[in-house]
Amino acid sequence: MRINVTRSSMPDFEEYMEALRPLWESRWLTNMGANHEELAKQLCKYLKVENVSLFVNGHMGLEMTLQAMGLKGEVITTPFTFASTTHAIVRNGLKPVFCDIESDHYTMDASKIEDLITPDTCAIVPVHVYGSVCDVESIDRIAKDHGLKVIYDAAHAFGVRYKDRGIGSYGDASMFSFHATKVFHTIEGGCVATDDDALMDRLWMLKDFGIRDEETVDGIGANAKMNEFCAVMGLCNLRHIDEEIEKRRHVFERYRADLSGIKGLGVLQAQADVKQNYAYFPIVVEDDFGQDRQKIVDVLKENDIYVRKYFYPLTSDFDCYRGEYDSSRTPVARHIAERVLTLPMSADLNINDVDRICDIIRSCGGKG
Ligand SMILES: *Cc1c(COP(=O)(O)O)cnc(C)c1O
């Protein structure tokens, strides 16, 4: 049977249908309905954050947060991420300035941020990539010293805690994605977590065309609201999220046990003081593995197993940005992007399949 890199978790069909039933009565299908409000409330509690603003998807949450802050100029960010992070910056008329990543967890290398700050810098947009926690303390301190906003792309980091705090409570705002492929999902969806009430107010308007009330439109917004069918999916999935993460932990730990100690194969290491969510299992195929990553991709594919070069290429190397950025300035990011693979990861991935995947990977190695 085909094994994909992700497989969406879903509640029982009946559970979802039952939760949808009241909508046939109320006919309130979108525009901040009862389920939308209930989901926002429950998410604040689960994520351990002050407030969340729900969105049609994570990307619009990030894009509108940058808009709501009225930022101008340069934004320091990472090229080792999904297209969304960089596009959200550029689509706001801002200029991304790419900071290199560190080689253990692939998050922004905080020691390299200050060299990139200019009089035009207005914000830092780091990514908790694969659910690994950025150096939030250094980043927040640098931001404070230089009067910069910090907006975390926490798309991968649902439920992650650092020093027992919700990861979304760091910085000025954090965006979580609830896309179907993420640890927690609402089919499509996302949220922005912040304790800034003025920002919450701006986001509320911007995601509804900038409409404040029936006769006042004081923001150039768009439509980025979460509908009730998605909110209900979220409420159902949230009931089972701890179970889901626990199942992911088993898969993750099996991978780590199977793949540790193989020459030339880097696996993600645990971080101190972090409660993980086991969102992804990336491996880095170093040169001394003896075979490049394409060989692993091909052999797994012959076995109906599909992995991803996630993230490759770096966003700074995208065709749409050709000639604008120089990825040789982020050598660690480039090194990782050229060697990384993310392996199949989902709550219901069978342990025997994990072993089989790892056997295949091991058999590829050491053959020059
Ligand atoms: C998934 C993802 C997003 C975008 O989220 P959507 O909900 O799909 O819009 C942004 N950043 C990263 C790193 C992601 O993986």
Side-chain angles (χ1 to χ4, degrees), residues 2-7 80 106 130 156 181 183 248 251-260 262 265-268 278-285 289 292-301 304-311 339-351 353-362 364:
R2 185 186 169 104
I3 300 177
N4 285 323
V5 71
T6 60
R7 187 163 188 274
F80 189 70
Y106 323 127
Y130 305 130
H156 294 179
T181 54
V183 169
R248 282 176 174 274
V251 172
F252 189 99
E253 287 182 349
R254 186 65 164 220
Y255 267 131
R256 195 153 59 192
D258 282 356
L259 295 177
S260 286
I262 297 178
L265 209 65
V267 300
L268 205 53
Y278 311 101
Y280 298 91
F281 198 93
I283 58 171
V284 175
V285 185
F289 181 69
D292 72 9
R293 69 173 164 181
Q294 190 58 47
K295 176 74 180 175
I296 297 179
V297 173
D298 294 343
V299 177
L300 285 170
K301 202 185 224 165
D304 224 14
I305 298 163
Y306 296 84
V307 297
R308 292 265 313 270
K309 294 174 190 166
Y310 195 64
F311 296 100
R339 290 166 180 81
V340 73
L341 288 176
T342 56
L343 303 184
M345 183 74 200
S346 61
D348 59 5
L349 185 61
N350 193 298
I351 290 294
D353 285 330
V354 175
D355 290 345
R356 193 159 62 88
I357 291 164
C358 295
D359 285 345
I360 293 169
I361 293 170
R362 195 178 300 107
C364 291

Side-chain angles (χ1 to χ4, degrees), residues 14-23 35 232 236 239:
E14 283 74 22
E15 181 183 355
Y16 185 53
M17 286 302 136
E18 208 42 53
L20 286 177
R21 195 179 292 280
L23 296 176
N35 294 289
V232 168
C236 291
R239 285 187 203 128

Side-chain angles (χ1 to χ4, degrees), residues 187-255:
I187 310 171
E188 291 265 8
C191 80
V192 174
T194 180
D195 54 12
D196 179 343
D197 292 339
L199 178 61
M200 279 294 289
D201 184 60
R202 295 289 298 163
L203 292 175
W204 179 275
M205 276 194 309
L206 286 175
K207 70 182 169 187
D208 192 19
F209 303 101
I211 298 171
R212 181 173 293 281
D213 60 45
E214 275 176 36
E215 298 185 3
T216 319
V217 179
D218 61 1
I220 305 172
N223 183 0
K225 305 180 299 284
M226 179 184 285
N227 72 57
E228 287 291 279
F229 287 73
C230 290
V232 168
M233 179 59 88
L235 286 167
C236 291
N237 281 335
L238 199 55
R239 285 187 203 128
H240 307 288
I241 188 67
D242 287 332
E243 238 172 281
E244 290 292 309
I245 292 176
E246 183 59 17
K247 286 187 193 160
R248 282 176 174 274
R249 186 174 70 81
H250 282 286
V251 172
F252 189 99
E253 287 182 349
R254 186 65 164 220
Y255 267 131

Side-chain angles (χ1 to χ4, degrees), residues 107-174:
T107 53
M108 188 182 280
D109 185 342
S111 72
K112 296 187 178 145
I113 295 174
E114 277 183 307
D115 283 347
L116 300 172
I117 295 176
T118 75
D120 289 335
T121 309
C122 59
I124 309 174
V125 177
V127 180
H128 298 301
V129 65
Y130 305 130
S132 294
V133 170
C134 294
D135 184 353
V136 288
E137 279 142 0
S138 300
I139 291 169
D140 287 7
R141 182 183 45 74
I142 292 165
K144 220 164 245 128
D145 288 352
H146 296 270
L148 308 174
K149 295 282 188 192
V150 182
I151 305 96
Y152 286 103
D153 179 335
H156 294 179
F158 188 87
V160 170
R161 309 256 155 84
Y162 176 58
K163 294 189 174 166
D164 215 32
R165 268 175 66 179
I167 197 62
S169 70
Y170 290 88
D172 294 284
S174 297

Side-chain angles (χ1 to χ4, degrees), residues 57-59 81-82 84-85 127 153 155-156 175 177-179 182 189 310:
N57 56 53
H59 177 82
T81 183
F82 185 55
S84 170
T85 323
V127 180
D153 179 335
H156 294 179
M175 175 276 281
S177 166
F178 306 154
H179 185 259
K182 304 298 206 287
Y310 195 64

Side-chain angles (χ1 to χ4, degrees), residues 56-72:
V56 65
N57 56 53
H59 177 82
M60 287 310 294
L62 182 59
E63 200 171 300
M64 289 197 162
T65 300
L66 300 177
Q67 184 189 354
M69 288 177 170
L71 300 173
K72 299 247 170 343

